Amino acid sequence: MTEYLKIADPEWFKQRVTGIVFCVVAAFALLAVRLFHLQVIGGEEYRRLSASNCIRLESIDAPRGLIFDRRGDMMVDNRPAFDVSIIPRDAKPVEETVGNLADLLHFTAEEFMEKIREKRRLASYKPVLLRQDIGRNTLAAIEVHRYDLPGVVINVNPRRHYLYDQSAAHVLGYLGEISNEELSCGKFPDCRPGDFVGKFGVEKTFESVLRGERGGRQVEVNAKGQVVRVLQTVDARPGHNVYLTIDRGLQQKAEEMLRGVAGAVVAMDPGSGEILAMVSSPSFDQNAFVSGMTYDQWEALISNPNRPMENKAVQGEYPPASTYKIVTAIAGLEEGVIDEKTTFYCPGFYRFGNRVYRCWKKGGHGSVEVVRALAESCDVFFYQVGQRVGVDRLAQYATALGLGSPTDVALDHEADGLVPTAAWKRKKTGIPWQGGENLSIAIGQGYNLVTPIQMLGLVAAVGNGGVRYRPQILKRIENTQGDVVRSESPTEAARIEFSEKTMELVRRGLWEAVNTAGGTAFRSRWSAVDISGKTGTAQVVGRKEDETADDQEEVAHHHKDHAWFVAYAPSEEPKIAVAVIVEHGEHGSSTAAPIARAMIETYLGGKSGGQKLAKRE
C-alpha cells in the first residue's frame, strides 16, 4: 500500500523522471565531448593514422649505371628481377600465409618465418624480403594464388647482369648485399638493409658514381595489403655510366690464352698508362653473387688452391726471376760497375765462397757483354753485376722503376711487393745480409717479390723512354643523357732519370731477346712488328746446387717454376706493353711469351680495333 502511494505521489514521480533525464543528458554530453575530441581536437592525428592504414610509401630502387669498354661495347647491364616480400600486418594469419607461399617457392615455412623473426624490430607494415629473383613460372603461380596470399608483395627491381660469363670478373667486380658494418660506416647514406652495393673491382671503386638516387611512390592498399591504386610517384634517378680503358676484344683474347691455367695477364698503352686488358685466371661467375650463391658454391671458390677470388694481376706477389735482370743491368750501367764493353765469362756456373751458383744453360754462354746477357739471360753475368752493385744500390733502382710499392691503380687490395735491403733483412730476421744473397737478388730470386702490374709499369717505362704512368682503368663517366661528367687524363707517376746510353743498351738487349737466334724469346718473334721483351723462370722451391731450370720433369706440378714474360711493341714507338705470368708454367720462353705475342698480334693487327700495321718485307 505504501509503495502504491509513492508511485501515485506526483512529487516522487517527478524526481525519478528528472534523475533519468539527467543521466541521459550526461551520457549524451560525454558522447558529444568524446566526439568533439576525436573530430576537432585530435582529428588531424586520427586522420593521419587512418590514412596510414590504407596509404603507404613504397621505395623504388635506382638502376645502376652501365659499364662499357673503351670502344663503347657494353659489358655490364641491368635486367628486371621479381622479388617476393611479405608485410606481417597484412599477412594474417601469418603462419598460414607463409606456409602457402613456401609451397609455391619450394622452401620450408620455417626458413621464411626465421627471416620474419629477424626483422621483428621493423614496423609490422614494413615489407620483409623473403626471396629474390624468382622465375617467371613462380611469379605466375603466385599471381594465380594471389587471394590466398594476403600481405605478399612482388616488386620488380633492376638486377645487375654481367653480359659475358666470367669475363673481366676481377676488373668489373661484383655486387653483394650491404652489411651492417657498411650501413653504419656512413659511406652509404641512401642505402637500406637488403640493398646491393659494390664489393670488389670497378663496382666497388666507382660505387658512388654507379649508384643512382632512390625513388618512391605513394599507394593505396586494401585490407589484404594489395595495391588498389598509385597516388603519386617520384621516379628513381639512374646512376652514371662508366667507360673503362679495357679493350674487350683484347680482354677476351687474353682470357682465351689463359684458359685452363692459373696466372695473370695485364696490358697497357705505354704512352698513357691506360690498361687495355687485365686477366686473372681462373675466374669466377659474378652473376652468381647477384642471383644468390649457396654455401657449397662459396666454399668451393675460397678453398680452390688456384685462388679464383684473387686478382693476381694486382694482388699476386711472385719472384720476378730473370725479368729483374732489367733492373740489375740498369743499376750496373748507371753505377759504372759495367759498361757497353764489359764482358764476363760464363762456363755454366759461378763459384762464390764455398758455393757454386749455376747458370740456366749447363754448357754456359762463353764471354758475354750486357746486351747479349739480357738477350740470352745469362745468370753468371748478372751474378757478377749483382755482387759488385750490392743489395742496397739494387734496391734504389728497383724502387725508382716502381717495384716495392703499389702502382695506385683504381682497384682494391693492391699488393706492395717487396724490394729487400740489408736493413730490412736484419729487422725481419735478425740476421745480417750475406754476400751470396746479392747473387740471388740480382737474377730476381731470393726475397724479391713483384706484382704483374708493377712489372708491366717497369717494362712500359723502358719502352717509352723513361716515363712511369699511373695505371688507368677509367676512361670517362657519362650521365644517362650522354654528357661527360668526368674524364681521365694520363698521370705521370715518375720520370726515370737514367742516361740515354743506359736505356739504349737495355732496349737493345730486350730487342735481341726476341729477334735474334740466341734470344730466349726468339720463337715468339713476329715478322710484322718488332717485339722487345724479357723472359723469366721464377723458382717456387729451392734447387739443389747441381740442378738447373731444365731438371723439372719429375717435379710435382705445384712445385714447378712460374713462367714470366714482359714485352712491348713495336720496339721503336710502342703502342702496347704486356706482362704475363703463368703459375707453374716452367719456362717463360715456351709458356708466357706466346701469350704475349698473341695479344700483341691481336691489338696491333687490328683484330680488336687496334692500329693496323703493314707487314714488313
Side-chain angles (χ1 to χ4, degrees):
M1 185 67 179
T2 303
E3 291 298 324
Y4 174 78
L5 291 174
K6 287 182 179 180
I7 294 173
D9 185 0
E11 190 63 30
W12 179 86
F13 186 77
K14 182 179 178 180
Q15 290 175 354
R16 287 298 182 92
V17 171
T18 301
I20 293 171
V21 171
F22 178 79
C23 291
V24 171
V25 170
F28 274 99
L30 289 172
L31 183 60
V33 170
R34 180 59 178 164
L35 290 173
F36 179 81
H37 179 270
L38 291 174
Q39 296 184 15
V40 179
I41 298 175
E44 187 64 30
E45 175 66 12
Y46 286 112
R47 274 192 295 274
R48 185 188 66 79
L49 292 173
S50 176
S52 69
N53 286 331
C54 61
I55 299 175
R56 292 176 183 165
L57 294 177
E58 293 184 348
S59 174
I60 299 177
D61 290 342
R64 285 179 75 85
L66 310 180
I67 301 178
F68 301 85
D69 83 336
R70 66 188 297 113
R71 307 185 192 284
D73 290 339
M74 187 182 295
M75 302 179 75
V76 185
D77 193 7
N78 298 310
R79 62 174 176 81
F82 303 98
D83 299 338
V84 181
S85 302
I86 191 168
I87 301 174
R89 174 184 288 184
D90 300 328
K92 295 181 179 178
V94 175
E95 289 78 5
E96 181 179 335
T97 301
V98 167
N100 294 335
L101 182 63
D103 291 340
L104 296 174
L105 295 178
H106 307 292
F107 271 73
T108 65
E110 183 54 34
E111 288 181 81
F112 286 160
M113 289 302 300
E114 183 61 31
K115 289 187 177 184
I116 294 172
R117 285 191 286 268
E118 288 176 0
K119 303 296 183 181
R120 280 180 299 185
R121 64 181 183 278
L122 299 178
S124 61
Y125 58 85
K126 294 286 186 180
V128 176
L129 181 64
L130 297 182
R131 192 81 173 95
Q132 293 180 321
D133 203 11
I134 62 172
R136 294 184 180 273
N137 291 337
T138 305
L139 172 65
I142 292 175
E143 290 295 339
V144 168
H145 296 84
R146 170 64 70 180
Y147 288 98
D148 297 325
L149 301 169
V152 174
V153 180
I154 296 178
N155 293 315
V156 183
N157 295 314
R159 190 60 45 85
R160 211 54 162 166
H161 181 55
Y162 300 91
L163 298 179
Y164 303 99
D165 184 33
Q166 300 193 22
S167 179
H170 298 89
V171 178
L172 299 173
Y174 56 87
L175 301 184
E177 187 172 346
I178 192 168
S179 65
N180 292 331
E181 292 78 10
E182 289 169 326
L183 281 169
S184 59
C185 74
K187 295 181 180 179
F188 305 90
D190 192 41
C191 288
R192 305 173 184 180
D195 285 352
F196 280 74
V197 296
K199 297 285 188 176
F200 187 65
V202 167
E203 292 278 26
K204 181 178 181 180
T205 301
F206 301 104
E207 168 66 26
S208 60
V209 172
L210 292 165
R211 186 178 68 244
E213 295 182 13
R214 189 188 306 274
R217 62 176 183 169
Q218 190 180 47
V219 298
E220 182 180 346
V221 299
N222 59 20
K224 292 188 175 183
Q226 299 165 339
V227 175
V228 176
R229 59 175 176 149
V230 178
L231 302 178
Q232 187 177 3
T233 301
V234 176
D235 292 331
R237 295 178 60 182
H240 293 325
N241 297 328
V242 169
Y243 287 76
L244 304 178
T245 60
I246 296 295
D247 183 308
R248 191 174 66 81
L250 188 63
Q251 179 78 19
Q252 290 183 323
K253 182 63 177 180
E255 290 165 349
E256 174 189 328
M257 296 299 293
L258 273 185
R259 189 169 296 127
V261 300
V265 174
V266 57
M268 171 193 285
D269 180 345
S272 66
E274 292 185 351
I275 297 297
L276 303 173
M278 182 182 288
V279 179
S280 181
S281 179
S283 188
F284 60 90
D285 182 9
Q286 312 105 295
N287 288 313
F289 286 87
V290 179
S291 59
M293 185 179 295
T294 66
Y295 176 80
D296 289 341
Q297 288 174 317
W298 173 247
E299 278 296 310
L301 277 177
I302 63 175
S303 61
N304 188 324
N306 288 322
R307 313 181 311 283
M309 296 303 297
E310 177 186 281
N311 184 355
K312 298 179 178 67
V314 299
Q315 295 175 274
E317 295 179 296
Y318 307 91
S322 291
T323 61
Y324 192 83
K325 291 172 183 174
I326 298 172
V327 177
T328 306
I330 291 172
L333 290 165
E334 286 293 291
E335 291 293 318
V337 168
I338 58 170
D339 59 24
E340 182 178 6
K341 298 179 180 179
T342 302
T343 61
F344 295 119
Y345 183 76
C346 171
F349 62 90
Y350 180 66
R351 191 177 301 279
F352 182 82
N354 59 358
R355 181 176 174 184
V356 174
Y357 291 81
R358 300 286 176 181
C359 184
W360 71 267
K361 189 175 182 180
K362 288 184 178 181
H365 292 89
S367 293
V368 290
E369 36 65 44
V370 65
V371 171
R372 185 173 163 224
L374 281 168
E376 300 186 19
S377 200
C378 176
D379 292 331
V380 169
F381 182 93
F382 288 102
Y383 287 150
Q384 297 181 70
V385 176
Q387 178 188 345
R388 289 161 172 76
V389 174
V391 63
D392 290 334
R393 285 194 290 177
L394 276 174
Q396 292 174 11
Y397 288 91
T399 302
L401 288 162
L403 306 185
S405 60
T407 64
D408 291 333
V409 65
L411 295 171
D412 265 358
H413 309 301
E414 183 180 4
D416 293 339
L418 175 61
V419 173
T421 63
W424 170 86
K425 185 191 175 188
R426 183 179 288 276
K427 180 179 178 181
K428 187 75 174 178
T429 67
I431 302 172
W433 191 265
Q434 304 299 311
E437 291 177 303
N438 290 327
L439 280 62
S440 296
I441 291 295
I443 64 166
Q445 305 293 350
Y447 296 110
N448 280 319
L449 290 174
V450 298
T451 64
I453 199 168
Q454 288 174 344
M455 290 307 300
L456 175 68
L458 183 154
V459 77
V462 170
N464 70 24
V467 180
R468 265 200 308 116
Y469 287 99
R470 181 178 66 83
Q472 179 182 324
I473 202 78
L474 173 68
K475 197 161 187 70
R476 68 182 182 277
I477 297 171
E478 294 182 358
N479 60 22
T480 52
Q481 287 74 44
D483 301 321
V484 177
V485 297
R486 173 180 165 188
S487 60
E488 291 284 290
S489 300
T491 303
E492 289 188 13
R495 281 191 173 268
I496 300 171
E497 302 296 337
F498 303 149
S499 71
E500 181 56 37
K501 184 65 174 178
T502 292
M503 300 306 290
E504 177 191 341
L505 290 172
V506 171
R507 282 194 288 266
R508 194 192 310 168
L510 300 186
W511 181 88
E512 289 194 8
V514 183
N515 297 283
T516 61
T520 54
F522 181 64
R523 285 183 293 178
S524 293
R525 68 195 182 282
W526 184 21
S527 60
V529 174
D530 280 353
I531 300 172
S532 295
K534 184 74 192 74
T535 58
T537 303
Q539 293 180 24
V540 175
V541 294
R543 300 195 192 106
K544 300 176 182 178
E545 289 189 3
D546 60 347
E547 184 182 4
T548 70
D550 294 322
D551 300 325
Q552 294 232 337
E553 288 78 5
E554 304 302 322
V555 177
H557 176 74
H558 64 282
H559 285 162
K560 290 183 177 180
D561 296 340
H562 299 322
W564 273 104
F565 189 62
V566 296
Y568 56 85
S571 296
E572 291 302 317
E573 295 181 5
K575 299 292 189 298
I576 181 174
V578 184
V580 180
I581 185 162
V582 179
E583 293 183 1
H584 314 298
E586 299 190 71
H587 303 295
S589 58
S590 59
T591 306
I595 295 174
R597 174 187 158 160
M599 293 186 64
I600 291 169
E601 284 184 353
T602 298
Y603 189 69
L604 297 182
K607 297 178 184 178
S608 64
Q611 180 180 353
K612 180 72 173 179
L613 300 180
K615 185 174 181 178
R616 298 182 302 160
E617 297 297 333

